[in-house]
Amino acid sequence: MKISGSFLTIQDDENKITKLNEVTDYMHFDVMDGHFTARPTLPFSEIIQKTDKVTNPKDIHLMVIDIKKYVDEVVKTSPEYITFHIEATENPEEIIDYIKSKNVKVGMALNPETEVKTICPYLNKIDLVLVMSVHPGAGGQKFIDITDKIKELKNYRLQNNLKYIIEVDGGINDETIKKVKDVDLAVVGSYITNHEDFAKQVAKLRRSLHE
Ligand code: DX5
Ligand code: ZN
């Protein structure tokens, strides 16, 4: 399992963002528009100024309604993945094709209450499924048990010989990570960033995976 660092709660602190980049495998960029979510994040142009020293591959999580507009903006940073929410669009195929036309891997995200079957028709076209284990909007929330959905996605992948990776996002700590051992990528924010020693927190997470 790889770890994608979420810097939502330390957005203003360039030094901490750089430190998080050093101890994680990916960097997770949360982008909220204040429509799909209650509150917006900083404009992406400002987020990007503070992430100058980020060297990890970028995993961009769009929690926005006007998806294409944001794709046009975030694509300039050469991300590995751009992920959009199934709940935010009536035409997922169009968005998938749009992201692919930019030569970026495509992810689709599911809110905690959204069922896996809603994205089944698209699973052969995408590279990543992000399963939300909190409601989109803020870091530091409590983990919602979505383990059945992860099992379902793993089985579906195997049965249909597909390649998408499975990512979980929200409320991951050294206890909850044990419930999602099967995912390929885990987003972790406040469990790391609420402490002084980021490397120690990541070591604790990795140790939990082997318990
Ligand atoms: C929630 C965001 C998450 C969040 C994760 O809307 O998508 O990426 O920042 O942070 P923690 O690990 O604190 O739940
Ligand atoms: Zn996220």
Side-chain angles (χ1 to χ4, degrees):
M1 180 199 290
K2 294 198 166 151
I3 293 179
S4 197
S6 165
F7 54 91
L8 197 56
T9 57
I10 50 164
Q11 269 190 95
D12 285 325
D13 191 330
E14 204 178 329
N15 287 334
K16 284 190 178 172
I17 294 173
T18 306
K19 236 169 75 177
L20 183 63
N21 173 77
E22 280 163 16
V23 298
T24 51
D25 307 297
Y26 277 78
M27 283 291 267
H28 182 82
F29 284 64
D30 286 310
V31 183
M32 304 179 194
D33 63 358
H35 301 288
F36 185 76
T37 51
R39 278 175 302 144
T41 42
L42 292 176
F44 191 69
S45 54
E46 283 179 41
I47 297 178
I48 217 65
Q49 282 169 20
K50 306 220 187 304
T51 55
D52 242 15
K53 300 196 187 75
V54 166
T55 52
N56 287 346
K58 296 185 186 76
D59 144 38
I60 300 202
H61 180 192
L62 297 180
M63 289 164 272
V64 304
I65 302 283
D66 194 351
I67 302 169
K68 283 185 175 174
K69 183 182 110 186
Y70 283 86
V71 169
D72 288 342
E73 197 174 346
V74 302
V75 78
K76 294 178 199 149
T77 65
S78 309
E80 178 160 342
Y81 295 101
I82 298 178
T83 298
F84 68 96
H85 271 263
I86 177 83
E87 303 86 1
T89 174
E90 301 210 318
N91 201 345
E93 303 251 15
E94 187 192 339
I95 306 290
I96 292 169
D97 291 343
Y98 194 68
I99 297 173
K100 280 191 180 170
S101 75
K102 310 276 181 192
N103 286 318
V104 178
K105 293 182 190 161
V106 183
M108 286 180 83
L110 289 172
N111 278 341
E113 63 280 359
T114 304
E115 293 178 40
V116 167
K117 67 174 185 217
T118 61
I119 56 161
C120 282
Y122 315 107
L123 288 174
N124 61 344
K125 301 185 177 71
I126 64 174
D127 305 286
L128 174 152
V129 180
L130 186 159
V131 183
M132 291 296 293
S133 39
V134 296
H135 295 289
Q141 302 180 69
K142 196 168 170 288
F143 178 83
I144 298 168
D145 195 328
I146 41 61
T147 45
D148 284 350
K149 290 208 272 192
I150 289 169
K151 258 190 233 143
E152 219 178 315
L153 283 162
K154 262 195 85 180
N155 288 338
Y156 190 93
R157 181 170 65 185
L158 192 67
Q159 280 158 9
N160 295 281
N161 198 20
L162 295 175
K163 299 268 183 304
Y164 56 82
I165 68 162
I166 304 171
E167 177 177 32
V168 67
D169 183 10
I172 300 296
N173 57 38
D174 58 354
E175 280 306 314
T176 55
I177 202 165
K178 294 179 195 165
K179 299 185 182 185
V180 295
K181 279 185 180 169
D182 283 345
V183 304
D184 306 289
L185 193 56
V187 178
V188 189
S190 52
Y191 177 74
I192 302 174
T193 58
N194 281 354
H195 297 81
E196 258 319 296
D197 190 342
F198 287 7
K200 185 171 153 200
Q201 294 302 105
V202 173
K204 284 203 270 183
L205 287 172
R206 299 219 190 269
R207 215 173 305 135
S208 288
L209 286 175
H210 296 110
E211 274 170 15

